[in-house]
Amino acid sequence: AMSPVVKVYGWAVSPFVARSLLCLEEAGVEYELVPMSREAGDHRKPDFLGRNPFGQVPVLEDGDLTLFESRAIARHVLRKHKPELLGSGSPESAAMVDVWLEVEAHQHHPAAAAIFVHCIVAPLLGGAPDQAVVNENVAKLRKVLEVYEARLSASRYLAGNDISLADLSHFPIMRYFMQTEYASLVEELPHVNAWWEGLKARPAARKVAEFMPPDLGLGKKAEQL
């Protein structure tokens, strides 16, 4: 019997959905992206809330298993299909992947996401960036990236000499952050920049990036208004 196809619910422009898709692509798993509309409020409808009571994308269905939270989805996909990307060789290497995944979630993502939201999303929606918030997060991200520069000058990837989910998990928000006027924060750090260039050149990242236009698909809608 054919195994049930893996389904991902959400819109691929979301960096959280993109994180799940990236791991599925890296692991070579066939999946179906179930299209949803944020504008139509699909994520607040009862059938979707049955899958994720928080009403957020993505949701992954893998046979009888339903998961939400993109980093948990990423770990599940890789644990099942490509455990080496979780540092499966030893408890020590797995621990290092965990450390840098936590850094990504708590240090890198909030700052990079705030800059992206204010510099790209707000103007697309007809608003203006709050420059004070932008400046505060640029300062935070600069400090974080200086730590990355030191780390990446000592090891090829964040968790060691092999690529892992700790690296891949950065791709979705970095993809958007690098479209802002603050991309130089990355470009002026040689090891961070080389790491980023390597990440975005991966076939899986290139495939997922096709679903992630820099204007999040909002440019077309703005023209229609």
Side-chain angles (χ1 to χ4, degrees):
M2 284 190 62
S3 59
V5 68
V6 171
K7 290 185 179 179
V8 179
Y9 294 81
W11 36 89
V13 293
S14 156
F16 303 101
V17 175
R19 177 178 289 115
S20 306
L21 301 185
L22 181 63
C23 291
L24 289 161
E25 291 284 351
E26 284 280 351
V29 178
E30 280 192 42
Y31 62 90
E32 177 192 347
L33 179 60
V34 180
M36 292 174 58
S37 165
R38 188 187 176 100
E39 291 79 16
D42 288 352
H43 55 306
R44 290 192 291 269
K45 292 181 177 165
D47 63 332
F48 186 77
L49 291 171
R51 296 185 180 96
N52 180 357
F54 295 103
Q56 294 170 326
V57 298
V59 165
L60 177 119
E61 284 182 354
D62 183 1
D64 295 331
L65 180 69
T66 300
L67 293 177
F68 49 90
E69 292 297 338
S70 65
R71 291 178 186 83
I73 290 170
R75 282 189 177 96
H76 164 71
V77 167
L78 297 178
R79 205 176 284 132
K80 187 168 174 178
H81 300 284
K82 206 164 185 181
E84 61 269 29
L85 290 175
L86 296 173
S88 61
S90 71
E92 292 79 8
S93 58
M96 290 309 294
V97 173
D98 283 348
V99 166
W100 287 96
L101 259 179
E102 292 294 315
V103 172
E104 182 268 321
H106 301 291
Q107 309 285 344
H108 181 280
H109 184 94
I115 296 165
F116 155 63
V117 165
H118 282 272
C119 294
I120 292 187
V121 180
L124 282 167
L125 296 176
D130 182 331
Q131 197 58 43
V133 173
V134 173
N135 294 346
E136 181 191 345
N137 283 286
V138 165
K140 282 183 191 167
L141 188 61
R142 181 177 278 120
K143 283 185 180 155
V144 172
L145 291 175
E146 283 164 4
V147 173
Y148 281 39
E149 180 68 11
R151 174 66 182 164
L152 292 165
S153 63
S155 75
R156 188 165 172 210
Y157 294 103
L158 290 173
N161 285 319
D162 297 309
I163 195 159
S164 73
L165 177 57
D167 307 289
L168 297 171
S169 195
H170 288 77
F171 173 75
I173 202 64
M174 290 274 289
R175 153 88 178 152
Y176 288 132
F177 169 77
M178 293 303 289
Q179 310 288 334
T180 73
E181 67 234 61
Y182 299 100
S184 58
L185 291 183
V186 168
E187 291 159 355
E188 60 204 23
L189 296 169
H191 293 93
V192 174
N193 193 51
W195 168 79
W196 166 243
E197 291 292 330
L199 267 185
K200 72 173 185 182
R202 294 176 73 77
R206 294 219 300 260
K207 176 97 183 274
V208 173
E210 290 171 16
F211 304 128
M212 302 173 76
D215 70 354
L216 297 106
L218 291 167
K220 294 190 207 79
K221 297 196 180 82
E223 285 160 25
Q224 288 162 5
L225 293 175

